[in-house]
Amino acid sequence: MVLGAGLSGVTTAWYLQQAGFGVSIVDRQPGPALETSFANGGQISISHPEPWANPGAPLQVLRWLGRDDAPLKFRPTTDPAQWLWGARFLFECLPARAHRNTAAIAALALWSGERLRELRARTGLQYDQLERGILHLFHTPREFAQAPARARQLERFGIEARVCSRAECLALEPALAAGAETLAGGLFAPGDESGDAFRFTRELAARLQENGANLHWDSAIRGLRSSPGKGIESVEVCDAQGRHSALRADAYVVCLGSYGPRLVAPLGERLPIYPVKGYSITAPLLDPARAPSVSLTDESRRIVCSRLGDRLRVAGTAELNGFDTRIRSERIRPILEWVNNRFPGAIDEQRVEPWAGLRPATPGNLPVIGRGRAPNLWFNTGHGTLGWTLACGSAAALAELMCGRTPPLSFPFRLPR
Ligand SMILES: Cc1cc2nc3c(=O)[nH]c(=O)nc-3n(C[C@H](O)[C@H](O)[C@H](O)COP(=O)(O)OP(=O)(O)OC[C@H]3O[C@@H](n4cnc5c(N)ncnc54)[C@H](O)[C@@H]3O)c2cc1C
């Protein structure tokens, strides 16, 4: 029984079903991917394994304090979990920790990319995907000067990326020409992709159902019942009419995004996950020729952009602000300005759909994949900024672990005791 039907839950159910398990999914929403997996940046960004927690981050966050348009914003609350997460984040900024985390994410991302391509070849799934790579853009010469070192680091992890001059960037993505005055150069990763995570998850959930999976929608999980020796015995749920019931399975996988830690805390499980809020806008194209089709990451502004069929998705910003999912106009404004400055006339501004979601983030951006304390409790959660990139690989790895096999990659999985 997979708890949660976002990217992590639905891919987990898929790989478990492929491995021969009978699967069911439980989610409080009326369908799949209606929370954080709904409108993310759309990037399969294997070329961005570096976590936010890196040696330069503490100073950068201090510089951004008090700025409403800061790419990473800390809004202090009275929640001790927020402060604990912040302290662990600082620990993960130590050079050795950041290096270890980057290497583990790179390994999982590469494996995940292979699993995604395999899944697509097998199912023929369509989700506005584009295999045109990701172009990382640098708008100051100082930032661009770091591009060769980043390319060499990626190469050491087996990830292809090449440094591009300004002219090469414009040749790769001609739509950049209209707003490229400040562009210093780029880093192009041809193996990266983009696509609509919501469509992908919805299509995959439909396949799961066709293959016999039980999908329980509108079922809010109130708690997990356990007993010593037996592990988890049932999941208490409440449906849309307020009726309570207990659902039972042999094993349970927690994929509940930012809400997982609260549900498993009574079992003595401490998941190091805290919500990091992000925003996106999605807009229909007014003039497709003015919009990019290569997926872009603006490294100077921490904004990403993906073409999803006849729409443009632009996402960014990170806010440590508890479980508040309200859309703040001062956080949407810089994203809109970014599109209008870089790609004037590309989108229909009258039909912009703003969105905010909570990234289920661990301090070092490493997801929790593997076994819980109870013998029949498993986790595949905490993918933070890279839940789309890492979805297929994490789920395939968990299925391997649940079959008693070790996934063939170097990653700190929570292994069976
Ligand atoms: C602005 C933004 C941009 C992003 N861009 C990218 C990107 O370009 N590339 C990338 O790789 N990643 C990106 N991400 C990250 C990615 O979207 C997330 O890591 C991913 O969606 C997390 O998936 P999940 O399944 O863990 O969580 P969710 O999608 O939130 O799924 C959790 C599910 O659990 C359910 N649930 C929770 N509590 C309960 C309960 N009590 N009872 C029943 N059900 C419950 C929810 O309804 C939900 O369906 C971005 C995120 C944001 C916010």
Side-chain angles (χ1 to χ4, degrees):
M1 178 170 289
V2 178
L3 312 182
L7 274 164
S8 305
V10 172
T11 51
T12 297
W14 173 260
Y15 283 98
L16 288 175
Q17 191 180 62
Q18 294 295 305
F21 290 92
V23 294
S24 55
I25 303 186
V26 186
D27 199 288
R28 61 185 170 194
Q29 296 289 346
L34 290 173
E35 296 204 1
T36 310
S37 305
F38 183 66
N40 69 18
Q43 292 192 324
I44 300 295
S45 184
I46 298 164
S47 62
H48 209 309
E50 306 88 4
W52 278 328
N54 62 61
L59 194 63
Q60 187 64 272
V61 174
L62 278 179
R63 274 203 213 107
W64 283 332
L65 272 183
R67 259 182 56 187
D68 261 340
D69 64 344
L72 183 59
K73 193 164 176 58
F74 178 51
R75 289 183 200 272
T77 66
T78 51
D79 182 2
Q82 188 196 41
W83 289 91
L84 189 64
W85 191 94
R88 286 186 173 179
F89 179 88
L90 286 177
F91 174 68
E92 299 298 338
C93 290
L94 292 171
R97 296 293 298 178
H99 180 76
R100 162 209 181 251
N101 295 340
T102 307
I105 293 169
L108 184 58
L110 270 171
W111 204 63
S112 202
E114 288 167 19
R115 301 289 76 74
L116 174 64
R117 285 189 287 276
E118 213 172 72
L119 185 152
R120 206 166 45 221
R122 196 176 172 147
T123 59
L125 233 55
Q126 294 297 317
Y127 50 93
D128 288 325
Q129 71 268 31
L130 285 174
E131 292 171 78
R132 300 207 52 196
I134 292 180
L135 179 58
H136 301 258
L137 303 171
F138 302 91
H139 286 278
T140 68
R142 214 174 107 228
E143 284 163 332
F144 183 45
Q146 292 162 12
R150 269 184 62 178
R152 283 194 298 276
Q153 188 195 37
L154 290 171
E155 196 187 336
R156 280 196 292 277
F157 295 136
I159 300 167
E160 188 189 347
R162 62 173 189 271
V163 177
C164 297
S165 65
R166 186 177 179 281
E168 286 167 328
C169 291
L170 298 189
L172 273 167
E173 181 44 77
L176 280 170
E181 305 84 50
T182 58
L183 182 62
L187 184 69
F188 181 57
D192 285 345
E193 306 187 3
S194 57
D196 186 342
F198 168 70
R199 252 190 94 183
F200 172 90
T201 314
R202 199 184 54 186
E203 299 293 319
L204 199 61
R207 301 290 174 100
L208 272 163
Q209 193 166 25
E210 280 165 27
N211 296 343
N214 274 325
L215 311 185
H216 302 274
W217 302 122
D218 291 314
S219 303
I221 300 164
R222 297 283 190 240
L224 309 180
R225 294 272 166 276
S226 70
S227 68
K230 289 192 179 156
I232 311 300
E233 291 188 304
S234 65
V235 175
E236 304 292 317
V237 298
C238 177
D239 70 13
Q241 284 73 45
R243 288 179 302 228
H244 290 255
S245 58
L247 300 173
R248 291 189 174 78
D250 300 318
Y252 302 82
V253 188
V254 173
C255 304
L256 293 164
S258 299
Y259 301 88
R262 288 178 176 181
L263 271 167
V264 298
L267 305 170
E269 293 282 359
R270 300 274 169 267
L271 285 180
I273 296 170
Y274 199 75
V276 177
K277 187 176 180 180
Y279 290 84
S280 75
I281 60 157
T282 309
L285 297 180
L286 208 54
D287 183 350
R290 289 172 179 258
S293 56
V294 172
S295 187
L296 304 172
T297 298
D298 186 327
E299 297 285 347
S300 307
R301 297 292 306 279
R302 315 279 163 114
I303 285 178
V304 305
C305 169
S306 296
R307 174 92 159 243
L308 303 174
D310 54 5
R311 299 165 298 153
L312 198 64
R313 169 77 47 76
V314 189
T317 84
E319 219 173 80
L320 213 60
N321 187 25
F323 288 80
D324 178 357
T325 52
R326 277 172 302 176
I327 298 174
R328 290 172 184 261
S329 58
E330 75 269 21
R331 303 295 279 167
I332 290 290
R333 204 174 307 120
I335 300 178
L336 256 178
E337 277 169 13
W338 184 90
V339 198
N340 287 333
N341 292 337
R342 301 274 184 262
F343 305 104
I347 61 163
D348 183 348
E349 275 193 73
Q350 305 308 314
R351 291 159 65 203
V352 166
E353 289 172 24
W355 173 81
L358 302 177
R359 302 175 181 93
T362 64
N365 215 32
L366 283 190
V368 181
I369 305 170
R371 187 157 224 170
R373 287 161 183 261
N376 60 350
L377 179 64
W378 299 81
F379 296 112
N380 180 18
T381 188
H383 295 78
T385 58
L386 288 177
W388 182 203
T389 306
L390 303 177
C392 289
S394 306
L398 185 80
E400 286 289 290
L401 292 170
M402 290 182 74
C403 289
R405 295 188 289 262
T406 308
L409 63 145
S410 175
F411 186 87
F413 296 110
R414 278 202 188 185
L415 293 173
R417 279 185 283 265

